[in-house]
């Protein structure tokens, strides 16, 4: 074997997988067909769960330092142009105020890390430079995946370099993180199910350093222009770069629309312009034999709600510890099989959530009338109608906290589920320790040390009750399997009340796998189920 895991694709999902596998001591090779990371804009919002994951990788502060400053407004406006007062505001907390709210909220409902704006073209080189520093990770750009062959003990991957050389690598496992047109997925023969072509848009990137010195609109994250083109301006992380999305015929139309939304003569340069298509698709499978797919290779959403890369980072972190456990011989055969069972239903929910957010946007967009900016009774009525619809519908695209924090691996073969669990709720997050759910965050030391920070790379038994039962049977059972188990005692009535049980067993990815008010009678059975035997 040349390595243990081959990763195809050096986008944010493949790079995050490489970093997590690397820090777990797994040897991996990542191949990427491009010669350098993405040079044009795509995603810009890491959601709170992704930031929690980056914190576990030791990267949250680095990502924040490269992105929006903590006090930059996150609000979203509807307007005609930036030289007139906005007509509708959707208020969102800044990172600084989200952190303050988190610290003042003691019911487990707040994420440990708030969201963060960072442009994908900033994030990818950052993740690449981190992955390249890990000794057991080899990052090979300019290598295009062509095909693979699976044998009884591993896979052989064939690739071609930019220089035209053909190379092969052998490994035990392969993960295709190669984006929406994934060649790995195609070779596996997995169909994409859903809506392949909803709307074709153009995206252009503008550099305009003097924008905020000239316009009167408040600083914000998004500006939706009220027009027939669905024009949306997104402020990128430098706050000197702006992307414009619109439904137009030609690249030149994007220039015209940029000038219209700015509303005053200004110096600028268009750096990039390309078409992109809104799709809502989910792969029929995520795994076969020794090959897996993750990220956009497995699901494609409309960016509304920011559930694209963020869902993919969730995939990466689920497959990562399971691959590590299997390669370290303590993970049983059901562990890797549980990847599809756990992540595909989450992909389906997130595709649905993103579709719902977009439907809300199309409702208020459809109320546009050509007379809408006119100072006439007809124009005023059209504007009032559009704004009334927007008041109901526009916030829906941001109401995804339940999808971000509340996702649960119901019915997973490696979760000791309980009957009657809560149904998925995209809109709202209720802290819960129902098996399969993410462990709610609580500070153990105010502002610095979270319960999350004390969950290591193996399993953790939390003892929360007044009496702490002897856990040596359970420890012995995990030792027999070879799986790492640590104990964490927490003496806080508040934490015990919200967590709801005296004992919680938490997996390396922070998901609760079992809970009870007494330690299990059959420790061996529990240890075997949760480790996939
Ligand atoms: C306009 C826009 C805005 C968005 N905003 C958000 C947002 O705010 N939040 C969010 O979460 N998501 C957002 N997204 C979605 C996000 O950009 C994607 O979900 C994300 O890029 C997926 O990451 P990935 O690593 O799975 O795939 P990709 O980023 O597509 O990376 C795949 C990589 O694989 C490489 N590759 C492909 N084929 C091969 C091959 N044969 N051999 C080797 N390498 C190969 C590609 O070159 C690429 O580098 C947005 C998308 C768009 C278009």
């Amino acid at each position: 074997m040349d390595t243990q895991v081959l990763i195809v694709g050096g986008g944010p999902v493949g790079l995050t997988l490489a970093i997590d596998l690397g820090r777990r001591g797994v040897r991996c090779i990542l191949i990427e067909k491009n010669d350098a990371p993405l040079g044009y804009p795509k995603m810009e919002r890491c959601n709170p769960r992704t930031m929690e994951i980056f914190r576990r990788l030791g990267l949250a502060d680095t990502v924040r330092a490269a992105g929006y400053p903590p006090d930059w407004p996150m609000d979203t406006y509807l307007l005609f142009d930036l030289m007139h007062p906005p007509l509708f505001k959707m208020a969102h907390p800044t990172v600084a105020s989200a952190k303050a709210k988190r610290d003042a909220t003691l019911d487990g409902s707040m994420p440990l890390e708030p969201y963060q704006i960072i442009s994908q073209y900033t994030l990818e080189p950052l993740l690449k430079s981190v992955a390249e520093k890990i000794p057991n990770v080899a990052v090979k750009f300019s290598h295009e995946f062509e095909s693979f062959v699976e044998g009884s003990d591993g896979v052989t991957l064939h690739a071609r370099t930019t220089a035209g050389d053909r190379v092969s690598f052998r490994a035990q496992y392969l993960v295709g993180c190669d984006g929406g047109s994934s060649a790995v997925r195609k070779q596996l023969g997995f169909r994409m199910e859903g809506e392949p072509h909803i709307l074709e848009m153009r995206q252009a990137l503008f550099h305009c350093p003097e924008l905020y010195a000239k316009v009167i609109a408040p600083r914000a994250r998004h500006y939706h222009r009220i027009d027939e083109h669905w024009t949306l301006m997104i402020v990128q992380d430098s706050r000197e770069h702006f992307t414009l999305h619109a439904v137009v015929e030609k690249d030149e139309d994007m220039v015209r629309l940029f000038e219209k939304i700015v509303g005053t003569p200004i110096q600028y340069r268009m750096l990039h312009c390309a078409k992109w298509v809104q799709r809502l698709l989910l792969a029929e499978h995520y795994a076969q034999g020794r090959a897996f797919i993750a990220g956009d290779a497995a699901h494609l959403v409309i960016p509304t709600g920011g559930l694209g890369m963020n869902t993919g980072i969730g995939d990466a972190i689920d497959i990562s510890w399971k691959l590590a456990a299997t390669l370290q011989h303590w993970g049983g055969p059901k562990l890797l099989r549980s990847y599809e069972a756990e992540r595909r239903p989450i992909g389906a929910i997130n595709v649905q959530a993103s579709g719902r957010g977009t439907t809300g946007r199309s409702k208020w967009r459809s109320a546009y009338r050509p007379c809408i900016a006119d100072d006439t009774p007809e124009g005023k009525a059209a504007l009032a109608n559009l704004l009334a619809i927007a008041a109901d519908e526009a916030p829906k695209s941001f109401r995804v906290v339940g999808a971000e924090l509340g996702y649960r691996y119901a019915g997973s073969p490696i979760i000791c589920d309980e009957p009657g669990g809560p149904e998925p709720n995209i809109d709202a997050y209720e802290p819960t320790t129902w098996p399969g759910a993410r462990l709610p965050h609580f500070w153990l030391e105010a502002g610095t040390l979270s319960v999350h920070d004390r969950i290591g790379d193996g399993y953790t038994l939390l003892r929360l009750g007044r009496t702490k039962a002897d856990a040596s049977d359970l420890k012995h059972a995990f030792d027999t399997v070879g799986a790492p188990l640590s104990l964490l005692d927490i003496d806080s009535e508040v934490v015990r009340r919200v967590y709801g049980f005296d004992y919680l067993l938490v997996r390396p990815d922070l998901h609760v796998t079992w809970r009870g008010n007494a330690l299990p009678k059959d420790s061996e059975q529990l240890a075997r189920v949760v480790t996939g035997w």
Side-chain angles (χ1 to χ4, degrees):
M1 296 292 166
D2 298 304
T3 193
Q4 293 176 298
V5 179
L6 284 163
I7 301 168
V8 181
V13 174
L15 287 165
T16 302
L17 175 59
I19 293 168
D20 197 52
L21 283 172
R23 80 179 185 92
R24 290 178 188 280
V26 174
R27 288 181 298 118
C28 54
I29 296 178
L30 178 151
I31 64 161
E32 162 60 48
K33 68 177 177 183
N34 291 335
D35 298 332
L38 192 78
Y40 56 91
K42 277 174 86 179
M43 138 286 162
E44 85 284 348
R45 178 177 173 270
C46 295
N47 76 20
R49 183 68 184 119
T50 294
M51 290 307 294
E52 286 183 349
I53 290 166
F54 284 159
R55 179 181 174 110
R56 287 181 78 67
L57 301 180
L59 296 177
D61 291 345
T62 317
V63 169
R64 289 201 192 283
Y68 265 12
D71 52 357
W72 184 268
M74 291 285 292
D75 303 323
T76 298
Y77 292 102
L78 268 63
L79 39 64
F80 287 123
D81 65 46
L82 300 170
M83 292 307 289
H84 290 91
L87 298 160
F88 179 70
K89 173 178 179 176
M90 279 170 280
H92 302 282
T94 61
V95 167
S97 55
K99 282 189 172 176
K101 185 171 177 200
R102 169 199 66 187
D103 294 344
T105 309
L106 303 174
D107 62 3
S109 64
M110 289 287 123
L112 167 58
E113 293 284 345
Y115 46 46
Q116 175 64 45
I117 299 295
I118 177 168
S119 304
Q120 191 161 335
Y121 56 72
T122 309
L123 181 63
E124 284 190 13
L126 186 157
L127 294 175
K128 177 172 179 268
S129 70
V130 173
E132 282 169 341
K133 288 194 188 83
I134 304 175
N136 42 317
V137 174
V139 178
K140 293 177 185 290
F141 272 54
S142 312
H143 282 68
E144 179 165 6
F145 165 90
E146 290 194 321
S147 63
F148 76 94
V149 182
E150 180 168 340
S152 57
D153 61 346
V155 292
T156 306
L157 180 156
H158 302 293
R160 192 157 48 154
T161 66
T162 311
D165 298 329
R166 295 198 179 269
V167 286
S168 299
F169 302 103
R170 272 186 56 68
Q172 273 130 309
Y173 296 100
L174 166 74
V175 189
C177 305
D178 47 345
S181 48
S182 168
V184 174
R185 185 190 68 231
K186 285 178 188 154
Q187 187 179 331
L188 289 166
F190 300 162
R191 278 179 304 123
M192 289 297 257
E193 297 167 345
E195 299 174 67
H197 200 287
I198 297 169
L199 184 67
E200 188 174 287
M201 302 195 75
R202 267 186 171 67
Q203 172 181 246
L205 175 66
F206 295 90
H207 186 222
C208 184
E210 61 174 4
L211 185 122
Y212 279 111
K214 289 234 170 162
V215 301
I216 65 149
R219 293 170 175 210
R221 176 182 161 222
H222 288 173
Y223 303 98
H224 294 270
R225 179 165 188 265
I226 298 175
D227 65 11
E228 69 275 43
H229 300 291
W230 290 53
T231 308
L232 165 63
M233 180 191 260
I234 299 179
V235 183
Q236 296 296 317
D237 53 13
S238 69
R239 289 145 295 129
E240 293 186 350
H241 291 85
F242 305 87
T243 46
L244 205 66
H245 294 261
V247 183
V248 290
E249 293 285 314
K250 306 182 292 298
D251 289 359
E252 303 84 88
D253 296 335
M254 297 301 284
V255 174
R256 191 175 50 82
L257 276 178
F258 182 74
E259 291 176 358
K260 277 197 171 176
I261 196 169
V262 173
T264 186
I266 202 159
Q267 296 276 332
Y268 67 87
R269 273 193 318 138
M270 185 167 86
L271 305 177
H272 171 84
C273 189
K275 286 184 200 167
W276 67 278
V277 177
Q278 295 189 349
R279 308 176 205 274
L280 288 172
L281 293 169
L282 182 68
E284 58 176 338
H285 291 293
Y286 277 27
Q288 187 176 281
R290 293 176 172 273
F292 304 83
I293 53 171
D296 274 19
H299 40 75
L300 281 169
V301 300
I302 300 168
T304 319
L307 291 168
M309 180 201 77
N310 289 306
T311 307
I313 300 284
D315 299 338
I317 234 63
D318 189 87
I319 190 69
S320 176
W321 73 269
K322 293 173 181 174
L323 282 168
T326 307
L327 289 162
Q328 289 155 10
H329 307 297
W330 57 264
K334 284 188 194 158
L335 207 54
L336 286 176
R337 268 185 248 146
S338 73
Y339 169 65
E340 176 172 320
E342 294 190 346
R343 290 305 300 174
R344 191 172 177 278
I346 304 306
I349 292 169
N350 290 0
V351 167
Q352 186 204 339
S354 128
R356 192 196 60 169
T358 310
T359 308
R361 189 170 291 177
S362 45
K363 280 192 189 156
W364 70 259
R365 283 286 186 189
S366 315
Y368 172 81
R369 298 289 175 271
C371 65
I372 206 156
D374 296 349
D375 190 12
T376 61
E378 197 193 2
K380 285 180 186 162
L383 182 59
N385 180 47
L386 182 144
L387 294 177
I389 299 173
D392 283 340
E393 298 294 338
K396 283 186 186 165
S397 52
F398 298 99
R399 239 181 264 146
V400 288
V401 63
E404 293 176 337
L405 297 178
Y407 63 92
R408 190 173 78 83
Y409 298 138
S412 163
I414 58 161
I415 294 283
C416 302
D417 208 348
E418 299 164 11
E423 287 299 311
N425 181 358
I426 292 164
D427 290 348
Y429 172 64
E430 282 287 323
T432 178
T433 58
W434 204 287
R438 158 195 162 278
L439 184 74
H441 148 71
F442 276 99
W443 287 124
L444 296 177
E445 285 167 24
T448 55
L449 186 73
S450 165
V451 180
H452 287 195
D453 300 327
R454 296 290 310 278
I455 308 296
D457 288 339
Y459 294 81
T460 306
L461 179 72
L462 269 62
R463 295 191 294 193
L464 300 141
R466 289 226 171 96
T467 51
K468 317 277 190 233
D470 176 10
S472 47
D473 261 11
L474 194 64
K475 180 84 180 93
H476 177 71
F478 273 82
D479 286 348
T480 307
V481 174
L485 173 73
S486 323
L487 292 184
L488 174 59
D489 291 340
I490 298 178
D491 292 305
S492 158
E493 286 188 9
V494 181
V495 179
R496 164 66 184 78
R497 184 159 28 82
V498 175
Y499 284 176
F501 286 80
D502 285 347
Y503 301 96
L504 302 179
L505 186 62
V506 180
R507 317 191 310 191
D509 60 352
L510 291 176
H511 284 260
V512 177
T513 187
W514 168 89
R515 62 182 182 176
N517 281 325
L519 288 180
K521 290 198 179 72
D522 191 343
S523 296
E524 207 174 299
Q525 164 80 356
L526 176 62
R528 291 177 69 80
V529 167
V530 301
T531 54
W533 290 99

